[in-house]
Amino acid sequence: MISTFLLFFAAAAAIYLACEYFVNGVEWVGHRLELGATAVGTVLAAFGTALPESAVTFMAVVFGATPDQKDIGVGAAMGGPLVLSTLAYAVVGLSLLRLRRRQPAGANDPCIKADQQRLARDQGWFMGIFVFKVGLGLLAFAWKPWLGILFLMAYALYVKRELSAEDTFSEADVLEPLKFRPRDAEPTMGWACLQTVLALVVIAIASRVFVVQIEALGEFMGASPHVAALLLAPVATELPEIMNAIIWVRQGKERLALANISGAMMIQATIPSALGIFLTPWLLDGTLIAAGLFTMLSIGVLWLRFRQEAMSLRTLSAVGGLYALFAGYIGWHFYA
């Protein structure tokens, strides 16, 4: 177990350091492509950091030799959105609260500095797709696998909307020097892409090591594969998004942090779901339905507060409590 703990912390540290290079590189890529701050977060950064979770689902549903192994992929596809809609947003809220408490009196603004209407639209998109996804898990019919195409089309439409939308915020224009070329005021696209891709490779490898250690710790604690798929693996594979959020908040770029989570949620609602629908019966049991309900409850709170432009840092932090309630339910369900 000592080696497991050492690898656990080493992988987490590697992910954080690689994310430092990734967010720096992806901002320069977005700058070279003349993308706004929101598109950088919702499309470029989200797609890169969502790869570990999508890879877990892909490996489980494609190469799983038994129904239990394929169920891990389905559990990951349902658990990922739950982690993002609760823990990831809560991390942003708590990080911002801690940051602003250090500021001088009078500068401690309890509100978030972002386009809340646009964030509300993202939650609305996610909710519509997610409700359809859960609904499919309650029905069995022969041509269900073909509906996976709809999820890929939905993500393509979302990306098109994000790339074409105007963005009046200038966070992406305030760039730190590219870490691979710290003395170059205008590094080329090639250097920016190289740094971003190499950082992604490190994130992918370290995330895989992290997931293996999480699974080992789960077995040590007596957790079933279902519990690992719903609670442990999603937390591990969503770690890059959470790390990105912490880094961007620390740099004063909370809009990028929120956009990255929002974009990653759209990926988790579509691409892993499409893989699961293509390659498994996609029938949800009671625990997976509970995960869907907790996710929809969190999204409902986020959508309502963002739509009213009334999201406070305390409310954003509080949605993390829903994940704790879900973990309590899972513990009661499997071990009571």
Side-chain angles (χ1 to χ4, degrees):
M1 288 305 298
I2 294 177
S3 62
T4 298
F5 277 107
L6 289 175
L7 285 172
F8 175 87
F9 289 112
I15 291 171
Y16 183 85
L17 292 174
C19 283
E20 288 266 11
Y21 281 79
F22 174 77
V23 298
N24 175 250
V26 83
E27 285 186 56
W28 275 103
V29 172
H31 175 70
R32 286 301 183 190
L33 293 174
E34 298 183 353
L35 298 179
T38 302
V40 170
T42 58
V43 178
L44 294 183
F47 186 81
T49 53
L51 287 177
E53 176 71 8
S54 299
V56 169
T57 302
F58 177 80
M59 296 298 291
V61 300
V62 173
F63 299 105
T66 66
D68 285 344
Q69 291 175 343
K70 290 184 179 291
D71 283 346
I72 291 177
V74 177
M78 292 295 294
L82 174 63
V83 170
L84 289 171
S85 64
T86 55
L87 290 183
Y89 276 118
V91 165
V92 173
L94 291 170
S95 298
L96 285 170
L97 279 173
R98 182 180 179 185
L99 180 67
R100 293 184 185 177
R101 282 173 180 166
R102 296 177 178 177
Q103 295 177 348
N108 193 352
D109 186 358
C111 298
I112 65 170
K113 299 173 183 177
D115 185 347
Q116 296 198 36
Q117 287 295 326
R118 188 165 181 176
L119 288 170
R121 287 194 297 272
D122 284 353
Q123 309 310 310
W125 271 69
F126 176 86
M127 178 66 83
I129 295 170
F130 194 78
V131 168
F132 183 60
K133 162 181 168 176
V134 173
L136 285 180
L138 305 178
L139 304 172
F141 49 93
W143 45 276
K144 184 192 291 188
W146 290 99
L147 295 179
I149 297 172
L150 297 179
F151 289 86
L152 299 180
M153 293 173 61
Y155 183 68
L157 288 173
Y158 173 78
V159 170
K160 180 181 179 181
R161 189 202 74 173
E162 291 298 299
L163 294 179
S164 61
E166 294 184 1
D167 197 337
T168 57
F169 288 78
S170 59
E171 282 181 336
D173 297 329
V174 184
L175 299 177
E176 296 183 354
L178 188 71
K179 292 184 181 296
F180 274 19
R181 304 283 292 178
R183 298 181 181 179
D184 193 344
E186 288 293 331
T188 64
M189 173 67 89
W191 280 108
C193 288
L194 177 64
Q195 177 177 308
T196 303
V197 170
L198 289 178
L200 271 179
V201 171
V202 175
I203 289 171
I205 295 172
S207 294
R208 180 56 187 162
V209 174
F210 194 83
V211 168
V212 171
Q213 307 319 307
I214 283 283
E215 291 173 348
L217 290 173
E219 291 177 4
F220 177 75
M221 294 184 292
S224 69
H226 220 104
V227 173
L230 276 172
L231 290 179
L232 303 180
V235 171
T237 52
E238 302 305 342
L239 192 62
E241 282 90 349
I242 295 173
M243 293 294 191
N244 283 357
I246 293 173
I247 292 167
W248 269 322
V249 166
R250 191 192 67 200
Q251 294 176 353
K253 300 177 180 179
E254 61 196 75
R255 180 167 181 76
L256 277 167
L258 292 167
N260 185 29
I261 296 171
S262 182
M265 286 175 60
M266 282 300 301
I267 294 176
Q268 297 305 334
T270 53
I271 295 178
S273 302
L275 292 172
I277 292 167
F278 284 144
L279 300 167
T280 73
W282 194 258
L283 292 173
L284 307 182
D285 62 16
T287 55
L288 293 174
I289 292 171
L293 293 175
F294 274 95
T295 302
M296 287 188 280
L297 178 58
S298 178
I299 293 301
V301 172
L302 293 167
W303 174 79
L304 184 63
R305 298 290 287 185
F306 282 137
R307 184 170 177 268
Q308 296 173 344
E309 297 189 353
M311 178 62 76
S312 67
L313 297 182
R314 294 187 184 280
T315 302
L316 197 63
S317 304
V319 295
L322 292 173
Y323 188 81
L325 291 175
F326 175 72
Y329 164 76
I330 291 296
W332 169 82
H333 181 83
F334 283 102
Y335 302 115

